[in-house]
Amino acid sequence: MTSYLCIKKIDNKLYLWTELDSIERQILEARRYEKTYFLYHNKEDLLHVIDYITKIEKTIKSINLGHDYRKNRIYKKLGINKELTQLHYLIKEYKKLVEQLINKEKIDPNIAKKVREKGHEITELFSNIRKKITEKLDSEINLYSSIPIFIFLIAIIIVPVAAYLVAKWIIDPIEYLAVNIKKISEGKLKYIPPYKRYLLRHKEYEELIKNINEMLHTLNAKQKELLQATKMAAIGTAISGIAHEINNPLNNIFLTVEVIIDNFDDLDKEEILEMLQDIYHEGERAREIVLHLLEFARSKRDMSTEEIDLTALIKSAYRLLSNELNTKGIETKLDIPDTPIKILGNFNQLEQVLINIIVNAAQAMQGGGKLSIKAYEQGEKAIIEIADTGPGIPKEIKDKIFEPFFTTKEKGTGLGLSVSYSIIKKHHGDIKVESEVGKGTIFKIILPIAKRYNNAAQ
């Protein structure tokens, strides 16, 4: 009888846990439609958010009103009434903010920020509620588990075998459920495996395990849908990134053609030929950029390499950007050796890396500044240092700058440094960043020297 009462108490709480899982699914759905709205700006997504929030309000209201005395008493014993009241308040505030977004013709950044923050608060609070219930349930399982053992010790003389089987029948499923739920919360399991039967079936626990597994399956499916939506948004960003990456060579082509047209009569044949070679070079670089973006997406294309003079590479990249740097009032200093530094790589791709980093440095130095480019050998490595006197990179985002699509610019795509990092890695090199806020940033490109690299390959 005592064991039965223990199991009933735990069953009641597990039933309420299932009810809270329903609220959690509705919160996840509301947050999913919220994120979809900020990605695609479709107000129908906000209407879905309102629908799910309304359902959550009704559920919480029914709990707080206490129409079901047994259920309300159990919630009170769990000690989560205060959290539920707070959750109800956050839900109402969140709903008001979403309604404000619906009434706005354009997205208000302040309201959007508050919506995200309020949604995060709701998710965090509900996570704390779940954690509190889990701890309470574990505590009660441990308490109730000792009672059948005590009964077993009393009855061991009369019916030792029967008492042992009863204890096993009562305790094992509870402990099995508690252990597996804990493993799921720690991310070690995705579902609860079927419980191994002995003499008697555990129908209630089998049904509970089935319901929990169905719930987990639904949550995993929703997470996959959210991941797919994120991937689709990333594809759209990548398409716009292509325009960003090929814009530099196209601009150089247009500027060179403009110079030829404006000064055609004053230019001699050699100057025109040199400018035409620049146009051809930039067109070839644009083609390489497109091919590299395809490689970045597919990782299937081989990279053609040759022996390159690092000093010539730096001079070529600087020559293409010198006019732009002078126009922006940026003082440039080149510190490169007279003797060649030979590396093995793709000229156009490495030039693209230098251009990306130099352009980023120039954009960081609004109103002018100093840019220094230094090249030297260090053991078996060739080093290029590009230093600027810009505002520097904050520590909290320094580790993210090479991530695809991460950008702090209003019109940036976040592909420039990501592509540059990928290129250097394919050249068996590395990029390191040293930055101090208010003083500037140093990008250090490290590449293997050609002779030593060839020997290592052999």
Side-chain angles (χ1 to χ4, degrees):
M1 186 65 183
T2 305
S3 299
Y4 174 77
L5 292 175
C6 293
I7 294 173
K8 286 298 293 181
K9 286 185 178 181
I10 295 174
D11 276 342
N12 289 335
K13 291 178 175 58
L14 291 174
Y15 167 77
L16 294 178
W17 193 353
T18 305
E19 186 175 59
L20 289 174
D21 284 332
S22 174
I23 297 176
E24 185 177 39
R25 288 196 298 271
Q26 291 166 354
I27 291 174
L28 290 174
E29 283 294 311
R31 294 302 313 281
R32 182 172 72 86
Y33 278 109
E34 170 201 319
K35 291 178 181 178
T36 305
Y37 168 71
F38 287 125
L39 286 172
Y40 302 108
H41 303 163
N42 187 346
K43 288 194 175 182
E44 288 185 6
D45 294 324
L46 292 180
L47 297 177
H48 287 300
V49 174
I50 294 296
D51 289 340
Y52 281 107
I53 291 303
T54 303
K55 292 177 183 178
I56 297 170
E57 282 184 316
K58 289 181 179 178
T59 304
I60 297 176
K61 188 176 181 181
S62 69
I63 295 170
N64 290 334
L65 288 175
H67 294 306
D68 189 335
Y69 173 76
R70 178 178 60 86
K71 184 168 66 175
N72 190 61
R73 183 165 56 87
I74 294 172
Y75 271 116
K76 187 175 181 180
K77 285 186 177 181
L78 288 173
I80 60 170
N81 282 343
K82 181 179 178 182
E83 286 82 354
L84 287 175
T85 302
Q86 186 180 357
L87 179 63
H88 192 197
Y89 172 77
L90 289 176
I91 289 292
K92 289 171 65 177
E93 293 296 314
Y94 181 76
K95 186 177 181 181
K96 289 179 183 179
L97 291 169
V98 173
E99 289 173 345
Q100 290 178 22
L101 274 182
I102 293 175
N103 294 329
K104 295 284 185 179
E105 293 183 4
K106 295 182 178 180
I107 296 178
D108 188 323
N110 293 328
I111 297 176
K113 182 180 178 181
K114 291 179 180 178
V115 166
R116 290 190 180 99
E117 291 175 348
K118 198 64 67 176
H120 180 71
E121 288 180 26
I122 291 170
T123 305
E124 287 294 316
L125 176 59
F126 195 85
S127 176
N128 291 335
I129 292 173
R130 286 293 299 270
K131 183 179 178 181
K132 191 172 183 179
I133 293 175
T134 301
E135 292 173 353
K136 187 72 174 178
L137 183 59
D138 286 341
S139 175
E140 291 195 7
I141 287 174
N142 292 331
L143 174 63
Y144 296 147
S145 296
S146 62
I147 295 175
I149 296 175
F150 179 73
I151 296 173
F152 172 79
L153 293 175
I154 293 176
I156 193 171
I157 299 174
I158 303 172
V159 283
V161 176
Y164 173 77
L165 292 175
V166 169
K168 290 286 291 182
W169 185 80
I170 294 171
I171 298 171
D172 282 5
I174 299 173
E175 291 182 343
Y176 178 83
L177 185 62
V179 168
N180 283 283
I181 288 174
K182 187 175 182 181
K183 286 182 179 179
I184 290 173
S185 67
E186 293 172 351
K188 296 179 180 178
L189 286 178
K190 291 185 178 179
Y191 65 93
I192 301 176
Y195 182 70
K196 186 177 180 181
R197 305 188 188 106
Y198 289 97
L199 297 177
L200 300 173
R201 292 186 61 187
H202 299 83
K203 185 177 179 181
E204 294 83 1
Y205 293 101
E206 290 173 2
E207 188 66 26
L208 178 61
I209 289 172
K210 180 182 176 182
N211 291 335
I212 292 175
N213 285 339
E214 288 177 356
M215 174 198 70
L216 292 172
H217 177 75
T218 302
L219 289 175
N220 289 333
K222 295 301 180 184
Q223 288 176 348
K224 288 179 181 178
E225 289 178 9
L226 183 61
L227 180 61
Q228 184 64 23
T230 304
K231 287 181 179 179
M232 294 303 294
I235 291 172
T237 307
I239 292 173
S240 63
I242 294 173
H244 168 74
E245 291 297 329
I246 66 174
N247 188 52
N248 286 333
L250 288 179
N251 276 342
N252 289 331
I253 290 173
F254 291 145
L255 289 172
T256 304
V257 171
E258 187 177 351
V259 170
I260 293 174
I261 293 173
D262 293 342
N263 303 280
F264 186 78
D265 293 334
D266 299 329
L267 297 172
D268 56 33
K269 185 177 179 180
E270 290 183 358
E271 290 176 327
I272 293 175
L273 181 60
E274 183 180 354
M275 290 182 180
L276 290 176
Q277 288 174 342
D278 287 342
I279 292 172
Y280 177 82
H281 175 76
E282 290 301 304
E284 189 178 39
R285 188 162 70 88
R287 183 182 65 180
E288 287 285 338
I289 292 171
V290 173
L291 291 175
H292 177 71
L293 287 170
L294 291 173
E295 179 187 12
F296 183 77
R298 300 172 185 168
S299 300
K300 293 181 180 179
R301 180 178 173 269
D302 293 332
M303 178 183 67
S304 60
T305 59
E306 59 183 342
E307 194 174 82
I308 299 170
D309 178 8
L310 199 63
T311 58
L313 176 70
I314 295 172
K315 290 177 181 178
S316 176
Y318 172 70
R319 181 167 54 84
L320 293 171
L321 297 172
S322 58
N323 289 334
E324 181 180 349
L325 295 172
N326 291 332
T327 302
K328 292 184 177 181
I330 295 173
E331 180 184 340
T332 307
K333 178 184 177 182
L334 294 182
D335 183 7
I336 54 179
D338 296 329
T339 56
I341 301 176
K342 297 294 184 179
I343 62 171
L344 191 67
N346 183 287
F347 190 94
N348 287 332
Q349 288 192 5
L350 291 174
E351 185 180 52
Q352 179 193 345
V353 172
L354 293 180
I355 289 173
N356 282 343
I357 295 175
I358 293 171
V359 167
N360 281 348
Q363 291 174 347
M365 293 185 287
Q366 298 293 334
K370 294 182 180 180
L371 177 72
S372 63
I373 305 173
K374 183 179 180 181
Y376 57 92
E377 293 185 33
Q378 190 177 75
E380 297 182 353
K381 303 293 183 181
I383 313 294
I384 304 174
E385 290 185 3
I386 301 173
D388 64 63
T389 57
I393 304 172
K395 290 182 179 179
E396 57 268 21
I397 67 171
K398 193 173 77 169
D399 293 335
K400 301 179 181 179
I401 60 175
F402 294 114
E403 294 179 6
F405 314 118
F406 177 81
T407 181
T408 57
K409 303 173 187 175
E410 291 183 2
K411 297 183 179 180
T413 62
L415 277 176
L417 288 178
S418 174
V419 171
S420 298
Y421 185 82
S422 176
I423 291 173
I424 295 301
K425 284 297 181 181
K426 287 182 183 296
H427 284 78
H428 306 278
D430 196 9
I431 300 182
K432 295 183 179 180
V433 183
E434 299 174 5
S435 186
E436 188 174 348
V437 175
K439 291 189 176 181
T441 303
I442 300 174
F443 277 82
K444 185 180 290 186
I445 301 171
I446 305 169
L447 294 165
I449 293 175
K451 182 178 179 181
R452 293 159 187 140
Y453 177 73
N454 285 331
N455 290 339
Q458 292 172 1

